[in-house]
Amino acid sequence: MALLKFLAPILLFSVCSAQFFNFNTCSSILREDCFKYGNDPQCGSNAVTYRNRCDFSKAHCEDKNVHIASHSACPTSTKPPSGASTIGPLPSTLAPILHGSEAVLDFFCLNLAFRPCDGGPNPVCGNNTITYENPCEFEKSRCTHRSLHIVHYGNCSGDPFNP
């Protein structure tokens, strides 16, 4: 019991900090068939051109250090100050314009918005003291309220100080 009391705050902090970009998001994306999203190149901060946001999202799920550097193919040449074009190696990292977890969550939310939430009741209590019917409904709400986090699984108590 003492171990549980010691670990509870650590586990709660870990869960809360991971809520924004969580395991459910990646597990859902990793099952996607990215070919159906066509060709919409995304340049990663690792200088890799991904075919589309789905492929980028899968890469970010595998490596959280990859972000969106541009919404187009990565450059393949550089122009020195003299104006002469040279083909050369790209920098190992490009400055991101969109954090990878934001890009992944955007992609995830667009997909989730057009899907019905299957599965029966499995209540989730959000930090807004609202009980969601199941994790899918919670995730749909989180797509438009990004500060929303899971407090616990089960019904909320209605008490804003002890949901």
Side-chain angles (χ1 to χ4, degrees):
M1 185 65 167
L3 181 61
L4 182 59
K5 285 183 180 181
F6 172 75
L7 290 176
I10 295 169
L11 292 172
L12 181 60
F13 175 76
S14 299
V15 168
C16 288
S17 62
Q19 288 292 316
F20 181 71
F21 181 73
N22 64 26
F23 174 76
N24 291 334
T25 306
C26 277
S27 64
S28 172
I29 288 171
L30 291 172
R31 291 189 306 264
E32 283 292 321
D33 174 12
C34 292
F35 284 101
K36 69 183 180 182
Y37 296 99
N39 191 29
D40 181 24
Q42 305 284 301
C43 179
S45 57
N46 57 353
V48 172
T49 297
Y50 297 94
R51 180 181 50 231
N52 52 40
R53 184 65 63 92
C54 180
D55 282 336
F56 169 81
S57 295
K58 286 183 177 188
H60 182 77
C61 286
E62 299 295 327
D63 180 358
K64 303 296 186 271
N65 295 313
V66 178
H67 308 289
I68 297 284
S70 75
H71 299 292
S72 60
C74 294
T76 55
S77 65
T78 58
K79 291 190 178 192
S82 67
S85 180
T86 60
I87 304 296
L90 291 170
S92 60
T93 59
L94 300 170
I97 61 167
L98 181 62
H99 194 278
S101 61
E102 284 283 338
V104 171
L105 192 56
D106 289 345
F107 175 76
F108 174 76
C109 289
L110 281 172
N111 282 330
L112 190 60
F114 298 103
R115 293 184 181 167
C117 286
D118 298 331
N122 182 12
V124 174
C125 178
N127 62 331
N128 57 355
T129 68
I130 294 175
T131 299
Y132 296 88
E133 183 179 352
N134 54 45
C136 177
E137 293 295 343
F138 169 81
E139 292 291 346
K140 281 187 174 187
S141 185
R142 187 172 70 109
C143 286
T144 55
H145 301 89
R146 298 232 171 145
S147 63
L148 189 58
H149 301 289
I150 294 174
V151 174
H152 61 82
Y153 288 87
N155 293 320
C156 295
S157 68
D159 178 357
F161 299 106
N162 187 21

